[in-house]
Amino acid sequence: MNAIEIKKDIYWVGAIDWAVRDFHGYETPRGTTYNNYLIMDKDITLVDSVKHDFSEVTIRNISSITDPAKIKNIVINHIENDHATGLAEIMALCPKATIYITEKGKKGLDRFFKTSSWDIKIVKTGDTINIGSKTLMFLETPMLHWPDSMMTYVKEDKLLISQDAFGQHIASAVRFDKDFIVSESLTMLDDSVIDYYANILMPFGQLIKNKIAEIQKLGLEIDMIAPDHGIIWTDPSKIIQMYLDMANGKARLCVPIIYDTMWHSTEEMIPHIIQGLADAEVDSKVIKLRATPYSIALKEFWKNRGAIIGTPTLNNLMYPTVAQFLHMLKGMRPKDRIMAAFGSCGWAGGAVKGAYAEFANMKLEAFEPGLEVIYKPSDDDLKKCREFGRQFGEKVKEYHLKFE
Ligand code: FEO
């Protein structure tokens, strides 16, 4: 795909990765893009580099606008591999360019590249550079989502280049939200925003709220947000509100049952738990971990107010896929969700207890006791499953009211 002008004299020169499905272990069924932006001014400036595998594409896109040797400045908003590993190829074409980066970014860059001959200037929040008719202002966003992260604001164009924040993993022929004119695509775009937030930004809700408040306090006028992945936002208010909602714990009144099973006994319990949830007028969704990427299970967890974990006992422990899911979830430091667990065991049990120990580790509210059955659920056990689902459904509704 060729360069596209997103604002007068500012071009998207990124690359579309239609085929990536495993993004450092995160499932990306819709592919992704690596966005970067070329600003044609007296001092030609490239904001963000590209993943090494796609450096040829970005260089070709730059070359369709100008000779890359004429690039005077390169801003590196974020040094993670998907954005910065192509930097050496770009620098080889404009070796005299000045790199603008945060202090932590420079330390990282020094680990990834031989930088001794590069002109690198460290910037911090509020620093500006004038590149001719346009002014770039830098805004550090440490731990959103790496220590080096920052954003670049192009004052005259009211454009915020936001690196990973506000991004989505979507490979698409269109570049702007306004071009997603079919309602199905709008749903897909929203779903991709939630997916990205759940898998990358879930731990950073408070930082997100603080940073949005800081931007609002600075009084920056923003009429376009251009992230480093996916679609560019011409309606910034929509995506900012989505982020604030997620950071404030907004979720649906629905319960995913996230489970695995050995000999189907744990699985047999699920329809009855669903019936109990329905008795409480709470919707549900079923996610079998051996059949679903963890990243999608994380997204479904995040979208909904409560979750029920189903796990058989294996050697007195949780089933490995369930343990792995909870391990990943713990890393995302989830908040504002209520949990319960159930499962089948042969004799001593232990998996349900293990799940509750993980809920406690994560400081998540839990509905207790969990439900454990021996070998195969009896008719009486299945009645207990329905009652377990109903009671949990009532509890979720009560908990949900805190966020209304
Ligand atoms: Fe898209 Fe944190 O890299």
Side-chain angles (χ1 to χ4, degrees), residues 78 80 82-83 145 164 229:
H78 181 31
E80 191 165 1
D82 51 326
H83 304 293
H145 69 121
D164 280 335
H229 295 290

Side-chain angles (χ1 to χ4, degrees), residues 23-24 32-34 78-84 144-146 148-149 163-165 169 196 200 228-229:
F23 190 97
H24 63 43
T32 195
T33 68
Y34 312 106
H78 181 31
I79 59 165
E80 191 165 1
N81 305 42
D82 51 326
H83 304 293
L144 285 178
H145 69 121
W146 273 23
D148 61 284
S149 301
Q163 46 98 15
D164 280 335
H169 286 307
Y196 192 89
I200 310 271
D228 277 2
H229 295 290

Side-chain angles (χ1 to χ4, degrees), residues 26-27 195 198-199 202 256-259 285-304 306-307 309 321-322 324-326 328-329 332 339:
Y26 164 24
E27 185 89 3
D195 178 82
N199 280 279
M202 196 196 298
I257 298 172
I258 301 170
Y259 81 104
K285 186 158 191 169
V286 177
I287 294 155
K288 183 175 182 176
L289 286 167
R290 284 220 301 289
T292 312
Y294 290 109
S295 52
I296 290 175
L298 272 177
K299 176 183 69 178
E300 292 302 331
F301 164 85
W302 179 244
K303 278 162 87 169
N304 300 300
I309 302 298
T321 50
V322 178
Q324 189 171 349
F325 170 72
L326 290 178
M328 291 178 76
L329 183 61
M332 303 312 287
M339 310 294 288

Side-chain angles (χ1 to χ4, degrees), residues 245-257:
D245 285 346
M246 287 190 281
N248 283 320
K250 186 172 179 182
R252 300 186 307 188
L253 181 56
C254 175
V255 171
I257 298 172

